[in-house]
Amino acid sequence: SRTGVSGVMPRAAGVREEIGDMAMSPAPEMVDSGISDGPGDDAVPEGGGDASQNASCGTKLVMHPFLPGMAACFADYLGMSMLTPALPYFLADLGMPPHKVATWTGAVTTAQYAGAACGNMIVGAMGDSLGSRTAMGATLAGDVLLFAATAFSTNVALLTTVRCFAGLSSPLVASLHYILRSASTKKETLRGVNAYSASVNIGYAFGGVIVGVGYDALGWAGLMLLSSGIAGIALVVVLVLVPRNTPEKNVKGTLNEETGEDGVTSPNTRAAHETAAPKKSVDVYGVYKTGAMVSHMVTAVNVGYQFMGFLVLFTLMSKQILGWSAAQLGWSFMAIPIANTFAMYYFIPPLIGKLGVHALITYSSVCTAIVLGAFALPAVHTSVVGILAVTFCLILCVVTVQVPNQMRIKIIADEYAPEQMGKITGASRVCFAFGQTLSPIACAVLYTIHPSLAIGSMFLSVLCVPMAFFLCKQNFFADPMTKAEEFAFAKRDKNENEQSGDATRV
């Protein structure tokens, strides 16, 4: 069995050790993959190792292979990190009573992610057919227009509609697709996912600071116009740094662990791909029916539910239970990037190296359930220390599920349908957005009854992850082997047998 413990654990250990040994710098390292991005206009800027080492910091930043995707993701999350904590104060300024503030906070947030759930598949398909340059450019242009429209939406029905269209044009699928297509090995995939997450963290850090410092001076309209301008800058970055290329239909960037010294896929790995991988991709709808993809999608729904449910609860509790101002709430959002950064660079890489992707998802899901159990206690969610402590721990748990689950996108795509990575990424983000869509309104309504009920819904959500792994017959503690890894191990065994036979004859 490809997922059995006895058949995978000993052989996968070397792969995980290599990931565990990766350098954990305070920022994502520049990776020169030396490969094309495949279909569309997703070519990664080339940069030789020696030249990049001698270049200035500015040149290294521009040459960073993940920069365009990071810029698109950063712009969108910066806007959201300013909108989310400011929204209940904006609604209160419109004269709404507290119970309506809670309900409409959930409704507006839900509308955005409902739009994302509808639009993510379209954006993913656009990335496959037209390339990430076109997909990121079109969606960032939508961000520019719709953040500007949000600034002047003083009617809640209009605001809800505008944010729904903003979700439809979200650039997150296009940016993640670009980053995953830019990676060729598990180490690079982890670095790419960390780069994507780093842009999320930086967005939340700056967004929280801007709301904390500038909400009273800028107001709702000023914050949203600032978000629109930053999205415009990200659009320029994408259009300048991502070149136009003729679409290719070759399958490139297959996940593997064997690369030459120059970073280009080695002859052994190319041979493994030619021998083991199918010549024709599996139909993408067939991929959606596999146990790996179903369990991945259930996990993505849970992560989306946990993430947005917690943000909505944190915002409402801070305002209505703790009595914080908009500035205090904005500053408290700094806990999100601090916890995420700690997890991404000092927690997740060594854990994936020692445990593997599946095991980290399993253990982190259990830890999430434990933290939520503590959060449901009134003594915890009614105190400043309790809320901040749970904030740090819960974010740590959720991101240690999200990062390895995002790595599974590339693992699944390379295994079943390398040419359909955009659609698979889109399907993953649809599931994430579905969780984000359901969570705000569900948690907001349950919160109005009792905060522990909202937290209980998050507890039930996380229990679905191990249940999905069990029902889909996915191993809890061992990663499946890729075709390239199977070929490499088979070749190694063959060589060892030949050497043993030669020794016996001698």
Side-chain angles (χ1 to χ4, degrees):
S1 172
R2 292 160 67 86
T3 58
V5 175
S6 61
V8 175
M9 288 295 286
R11 294 182 172 184
V15 174
R16 294 200 296 268
E17 287 171 3
E18 183 179 356
I19 298 174
D21 291 337
M22 65 178 288
M24 292 176 285
S25 60
E29 298 179 15
M30 183 173 71
V31 179
D32 181 14
S33 63
I35 63 170
S36 166
D37 262 320
D41 43 36
D42 305 343
V44 182
E46 297 180 356
D50 294 338
S52 62
Q53 291 175 2
N54 296 328
S56 65
C57 292
T59 302
K60 287 183 179 180
L61 178 63
V62 173
M63 293 173 63
H64 196 296
F66 303 134
L67 178 61
M70 293 175 67
C73 179
F74 166 77
D76 194 65
Y77 267 101
L78 177 69
M80 284 304 300
S81 69
M82 289 193 281
L83 185 150
T84 301
L87 180 59
Y89 297 91
F90 171 66
L91 296 176
D93 290 342
L94 295 179
M96 287 188 179
H99 70 279
K100 283 193 175 182
V101 168
T103 301
W104 277 105
T105 296
V108 172
T109 308
T110 289
Q112 165 141 337
Y113 294 106
C118 296
N120 282 345
M121 286 297 294
I122 298 173
V123 175
M126 184 191 302
D128 283 334
S129 59
L130 302 177
S132 293
R133 184 178 193 272
T134 301
M136 286 192 292
T139 51
L140 280 170
D143 258 8
V144 172
L145 295 175
L146 291 167
F147 271 122
T150 302
F152 302 104
S153 299
T154 56
N155 176 279
V156 288
L158 176 61
L159 176 62
T160 303
T161 302
V162 169
R163 294 320 301 168
C164 181
F165 280 105
L168 280 169
S169 67
S170 170
L172 299 179
V173 168
S175 62
L176 182 58
H177 180 211
Y178 175 85
I179 287 172
L180 292 177
R181 295 291 292 184
S182 303
S184 62
T185 68
K186 282 186 178 178
K187 288 173 66 176
E188 289 179 9
T189 301
L190 178 57
R191 286 178 178 140
V193 172
N194 276 352
Y196 178 86
S197 300
S199 60
V200 174
N201 294 334
I202 297 170
Y204 270 111
F206 277 94
V209 170
I210 292 171
V211 172
V213 172
Y215 180 79
D216 293 335
L218 296 175
W220 175 261
L223 293 176
M224 296 302 102
L225 289 175
L226 178 60
S227 300
S228 176
I230 292 173
I233 295 172
L235 175 59
V236 173
V237 170
V238 168
L239 295 180
V240 170
L241 295 184
V242 182
R244 290 190 183 93
N245 278 353
T246 303
E248 303 176 25
K249 294 300 180 184
N250 297 339
V251 179
K252 297 182 180 181
T254 301
L255 191 66
N256 61 77
E257 291 301 326
E258 295 186 320
T259 55
E261 292 181 358
D262 58 354
V264 182
T265 304
S266 69
N268 287 341
T269 300
R270 285 196 294 271
H273 180 72
E274 292 169 1
T275 303
K279 296 298 182 182
K280 184 178 181 180
S281 294
V282 176
D283 180 77
V284 69
Y285 296 103
V287 178
Y288 300 153
K289 299 176 184 178
T290 63
M293 189 64 185
V294 171
S295 62
H296 166 80
M297 292 190 293
V298 171
T299 306
V301 171
N302 164 70
V303 172
Y305 192 94
Q306 299 293 332
F307 187 70
M308 284 310 303
F310 169 73
L311 286 183
V312 168
L313 290 181
F314 180 65
T315 301
L316 293 175
M317 288 178 176
S318 298
K319 183 180 187 301
Q320 298 182 0
I321 294 179
L322 302 181
W324 287 358
S325 66
Q328 289 174 308
L329 180 58
W331 281 110
S332 70
F333 260 55
M334 287 296 293
I336 297 173
I338 291 172
N340 272 345
T341 301
F342 174 78
M344 287 190 309
Y345 295 109
Y346 301 99
F347 199 62
I348 293 176
L351 285 179
I352 290 181
K354 293 181 181 299
L355 302 175
V357 171
H358 281 210
L360 183 55
I361 292 174
T362 299
Y363 289 127
S364 298
S365 297
V366 173
C367 291
T368 302
I370 294 173
V371 172
L372 287 171
F375 193 29
L377 298 174
V380 176
H381 65 244
T382 57
S383 68
V384 175
V385 174
I387 290 177
L388 291 180
V390 167
T391 297
F392 187 87
C393 293
L394 190 58
I395 292 171
L396 196 66
C397 291
V398 172
V399 76
T400 50
V401 175
Q402 183 182 27
V403 168
N405 198 51
Q406 286 179 323
M407 291 180 66
R408 295 184 74 200
I409 297 173
K410 185 166 179 62
I411 294 172
I412 293 168
D414 283 345
E415 179 72 9
Y416 297 105
E419 294 181 17
Q420 306 293 331
M421 187 180 293
K423 293 185 179 69
I424 294 172
T425 304
S428 174
R429 294 296 303 186
V430 164
C431 295
F432 184 69
F434 178 76
Q436 291 177 306
T437 300
L438 179 62
S439 181
I441 190 65
C443 288
V445 171
L446 291 172
Y447 172 83
T448 60
I449 302 173
H450 195 281
S452 294
L453 292 178
I455 299 168
S457 72
M458 296 169 67
F459 182 86
L460 293 177
S461 171
V462 76
L463 292 183
C464 292
V465 174
M467 185 180 299
F469 269 64
F470 175 77
L471 295 176
C472 295
K473 299 180 180 179
Q474 299 296 295
N475 201 297
F476 288 105
F477 303 106
D479 297 344
M481 293 173 61
T482 66
K483 292 182 182 295
E485 289 169 350
E486 285 184 342
F487 181 88
F489 286 127
K491 183 176 180 180
R492 185 189 67 182
D493 292 342
K494 181 180 178 181
N495 291 338
E496 289 177 353
N497 291 335
E498 290 177 351
Q499 292 174 3
S500 177
D502 292 341
T504 301
R505 287 193 294 271
V506 170

